[in-house]
Structures are given as C-alpha cells and as structure tokens.
Amino acid sequence: MTSIAICYPFCGAEKYAKGIGLFEAFGEGERARIDAISSLRARDLSLRGLIALKYLANRTEVQGELEIQRGDNGKPYFKNSPYFFNISHSGDISVAAISSRRVGVDIERVLSKPSFPKIAKRFFSEAEYLRYKESRESAEEFYRIWTAKEAVVKYKGASLAQSLSEGEMKDTEVHLRSFSLKYNNDIYIITVCLPCDEDFKVLDIDQTTI
C-alpha cells in the first residue's frame, strides 16, 4: 500500500494544523523544527508537508506511534510504526508519501537555467546525459533525472553528494516512477522510489478537501 498526497497552498495552514493535533501526533520535535524556520514561505511549505502526511495517515489508518524521529543524514521515520514515509516540497507545492514499504519522493518545480548542461555533464551518468541531450536539453527531462536521483537518495537515507559521486543508479532493487503536474502555469516533476513496481494513489489537498 502506497499513497501520495499533494498539498497546494491554502489559508490558515497553522490554524488547521493545530485543529487536527498535528504536533500531538508527530511530536514536539517537529513543532520545534517548524518554529525554527525563519522564512515564512519555507515554514509554510514544511508545515503543509506534515499536513499532507497526517492526511494520509488518517486516510490509510496507519497503526503505531507516529512520533517522528530522524536518523543518519536526517532521514525521518516514525518512532514505532511499521509504515514508512517521505516528504518533499518545491515552489508552491508540498508532497508526502506513506507506504507499507520503504519509500522516497522528490518534487521539483521546472525551471530553465543556462547551467543545466554543465551540471548534467558533471553529475549525470553517460546514459543519463545522453538521454538529456536527446531530449534537446529539455528542462523537464533534466528534472526527471534529478528527481530520480533525489528520490533514491531519500529512499536509501544517503546523502545527495554520495549519490552523485556514485554515478549512474544501477540499483535494480528500486523502481522509479515520475509524473508531472501543472499549477499556476508552473510545471512540477514528482518522482517516487519504491522497492518494487506498484500502483499508488495520488490525492490532492487544498481548502476544498481538508
């Protein structure tokens, strides 16, 4: 069982978080982490990531203690639950994934930068770089490759620097699935990493659904 929730901007996120007992569920450590974020925008994105996670936990009736702790490289996990989760955010959107299997998720807003060919040449494997070049250096293709790398990193609980230094991802034990969405004229790429190929539900969260 794997579910993904995409949380769009909505008014009163902090009030809503309080009303659903967000930090009672996830622990005071998460409250302290959110409170320590000085940027209001970054704080809102992080908060909506937790709201998406709580929404999924309620919908899927996740069992066990949901207090969030963090391991090596900051990978978050539930203190005492058989379920796995991951959170990511970019631009205006936060996304959370919850699964009975290990999971990694990454989202990036598609931007076009002149530095992309140089970054791709340095960090992409030969096969990845060729794929990027054959796409005519498409920004969307760049982010499909990049979010795949990030999702694997988060799945493994490794560091991005370590992953990039390893070159091409040859781990046959993971499966990657990417999809795109459009919001406010921006395109976002989301990639999910799981230990096997499976279908998953994608749920949208905004003021009309919460």
Side-chain angles (χ1 to χ4, degrees), residues 112-198:
S112 185
K113 297 181 180 180
S115 59
F116 281 174
K118 184 177 180 180
I119 294 171
K121 186 69 174 177
R122 180 178 179 184
F123 293 115
F124 289 4
S125 70
E126 184 177 344
E128 290 167 344
Y129 184 70
L130 179 61
R131 202 172 93 208
Y132 171 62
K133 292 292 288 184
E134 287 180 343
S135 73
R136 298 184 179 180
E137 298 184 351
S138 158
E140 288 188 42
E141 188 61 33
F142 177 92
Y143 280 110
R144 285 189 191 95
I145 297 169
W146 192 267
T147 56
K149 289 180 177 291
E150 289 268 20
V152 170
V153 165
K154 297 173 78 175
Y155 172 90
K156 293 181 175 180
S159 68
L160 181 59
Q162 176 186 351
S163 174
L164 291 175
S165 68
E166 290 174 351
E168 185 177 0
M169 295 177 295
K170 296 181 179 179
D171 192 340
T172 58
E173 296 181 358
V174 302
H175 291 259
L176 296 160
R177 187 180 301 180
S178 297
F179 59 97
S180 62
L181 63 89
K182 189 173 182 180
Y183 178 74
N184 280 352
N185 296 318
D186 287 323
I187 296 174
Y188 292 78
I189 303 295
I190 300 172
T191 299
V192 181
C193 179
L194 288 162
C196 61
D197 188 17
E198 67 170 278

Side-chain angles (χ1 to χ4, degrees), residues 10-41:
F10 66 92
C11 296
E14 293 203 27
K15 182 179 179 180
Y16 179 75
K18 183 177 180 180
I20 63 174
L22 192 72
F23 298 117
E24 286 79 0
F26 293 144
E28 289 301 315
E30 287 304 290
R31 187 195 301 269
R33 184 182 67 83
I34 294 292
D35 288 345
I37 300 173
S38 57
S39 165
L40 292 178
R41 184 170 176 276

Side-chain angles (χ1 to χ4, degrees), residues 66-86:
L66 300 184
E67 180 181 339
I68 293 175
Q69 296 191 338
R70 295 178 183 269
D72 296 340
N73 295 314
K75 181 176 175 63
Y77 63 93
F78 291 134
K79 180 179 180 181
N80 184 25
S81 172
Y83 284 81
F84 300 86
F85 74 92
N86 210 222

Side-chain angles (χ1 to χ4, degrees), residues 53-126:
L53 182 62
K54 183 67 163 57
Y55 182 84
L56 288 176
N58 291 345
R59 287 287 297 264
T60 54
E61 298 181 351
V62 170
Q63 302 298 313
E65 187 176 349
L66 300 184
E67 180 181 339
I68 293 175
Q69 296 191 338
R70 295 178 183 269
D72 296 340
N73 295 314
K75 181 176 175 63
Y77 63 93
F78 291 134
K79 180 179 180 181
N80 184 25
S81 172
Y83 284 81
F84 300 86
F85 74 92
N86 210 222
I87 296 173
S88 182
H89 49 75
S90 178
D92 293 321
I93 296 177
S94 298
V95 59
I98 199 165
S99 181
S100 55
R101 309 173 189 271
R102 205 168 166 190
V103 63
V105 65
D106 189 59
I107 181 172
E108 295 290 344
R109 180 174 59 178
V110 173
L111 302 171
S112 185
K113 297 181 180 180
S115 59
F116 281 174
K118 184 177 180 180
I119 294 171
K121 186 69 174 177
R122 180 178 179 184
F123 293 115
F124 289 4
S125 70
E126 184 177 344

